[in-house]
Amino acid sequence: MPIIFRFLCAAIFIGTAANLFAQNQQEMNREAGEEAQQADKQLNRVYAMVLDGLDAEGIALLKKSQRAWLAYRDAEAAFAADEMRGGSAAPMLYSETVATLTKERTARLRQYLGQESDDTDEAPEGAETAKLAGEKFYKAYAKHDRDAAEKVAGRAALDAVNWDPSAGKPEGLDLIDPSHIYYVGGSIEMKFQKNAQGRWYVSALEMTAD
């Protein structure tokens, strides 16, 4: 094989490999950016829910905390990206750091809502008010009708109680106020939150034995 031909083949191979690497890196940058955007959307949704449950002083404090946290997050992401300063992978490192820190912040804010995970994307249709959501859940629970309950209750609440009709109706079952179901031997406190459309649903249950 002539030397010139081998040189041209090698040059073509190197050029093709470099082009493929650049394309792969661009794709990884894009995917990391999309993950960061999705994490930010989830954070904004949970942040709005927390704000909705605070008084004026609490709102001011949370907003101040959020501004400080955003400044920290962006600075931390810029520092992480500096590891590949000027390189094609720098945007990926920036976005990955943003996504990681944003998810951590979201998890922290969820604690104020009594949430362990984000199920807002799969939240039920809900009701106009928390009181109405509680009433609908109680009626469904009394009839062991999980299908009806799913319209106003999240997975955590649905999985917390027995929906088997053979279990029978608990003695003395009654809705004593918009958020408490009473029965002989204990009570169930319903926790509420809003779905993406601003409608209320039962997000969790807290059992209390007498």
Side-chain angles (χ1 to χ4, degrees), residues 151-170:
K151 296 180 179 179
V152 292
R155 289 193 306 270
L158 291 169
D159 293 342
V161 293
N162 184 5
W163 296 97
D164 185 354
S166 64
K169 184 177 179 179

Side-chain angles (χ1 to χ4, degrees), residues 134 137-138 141-142 156-158 160-163 170 172-192 202-210:
F137 180 84
Y138 165 71
Y141 176 63
L158 291 169
V161 293
N162 184 5
W163 296 97
L173 190 69
D174 192 16
L175 185 68
I176 59 176
D177 65 45
S179 62
H180 287 81
I181 298 173
Y182 172 82
Y183 57 93
V184 175
S187 63
I188 302 172
E189 180 182 359
M190 293 178 280
K191 306 292 185 179
F192 302 95
V202 181
S203 59
L205 301 177
E206 184 174 312
M207 312 294 187
T208 302
D210 290 345

Side-chain angles (χ1 to χ4, degrees), residues 127-137 152 178 192 199-200:
E128 292 82 358
T129 65
K131 179 177 182 293
L132 186 56
E135 290 174 351
K136 289 185 175 182
F137 180 84
V152 292
F192 302 95
R199 292 169 64 85
W200 292 94

Side-chain angles (χ1 to χ4, degrees), residues 10-86:
I12 292 172
F13 174 78
I14 292 172
T16 301
N19 185 53
L20 288 174
F21 176 79
Q23 290 178 341
N24 288 339
Q25 186 59 60
Q26 289 176 0
E27 180 66 15
M28 288 189 289
N29 290 347
R30 182 188 65 78
E31 290 177 355
E34 289 178 352
E35 183 181 2
Q37 290 177 3
Q38 183 61 30
D40 203 49
K41 288 180 181 179
Q42 293 175 353
L43 171 62
N44 290 336
R45 189 160 53 237
V46 175
Y47 174 72
M49 290 178 180
V50 176
L51 282 177
D52 191 56
L54 299 175
D55 58 17
E57 184 177 357
I59 289 173
L61 289 171
L62 179 57
K63 287 184 175 180
K64 181 179 180 181
S65 170
Q66 190 72 356
R67 286 194 296 269
W69 175 83
L70 284 169
Y72 157 75
R73 182 196 69 177
D74 293 346
E76 188 70 13
F79 176 69
D82 191 57
E83 181 179 345
M84 295 292 293
R85 184 185 302 174

Side-chain angles (χ1 to χ4, degrees), residues 76-114:
E76 188 70 13
F79 176 69
D82 191 57
E83 181 179 345
M84 295 292 293
R85 184 185 302 174
S88 60
M92 181 183 69
L93 293 179
Y94 183 93
S95 295
E96 287 178 344
T97 304
V98 166
T100 297
L101 295 177
T102 301
K103 290 175 183 178
E104 290 175 357
R105 176 65 171 176
T106 302
R108 170 62 176 160
L109 291 179
R110 282 196 199 111
Q111 294 178 6
Y112 294 101
L113 299 173

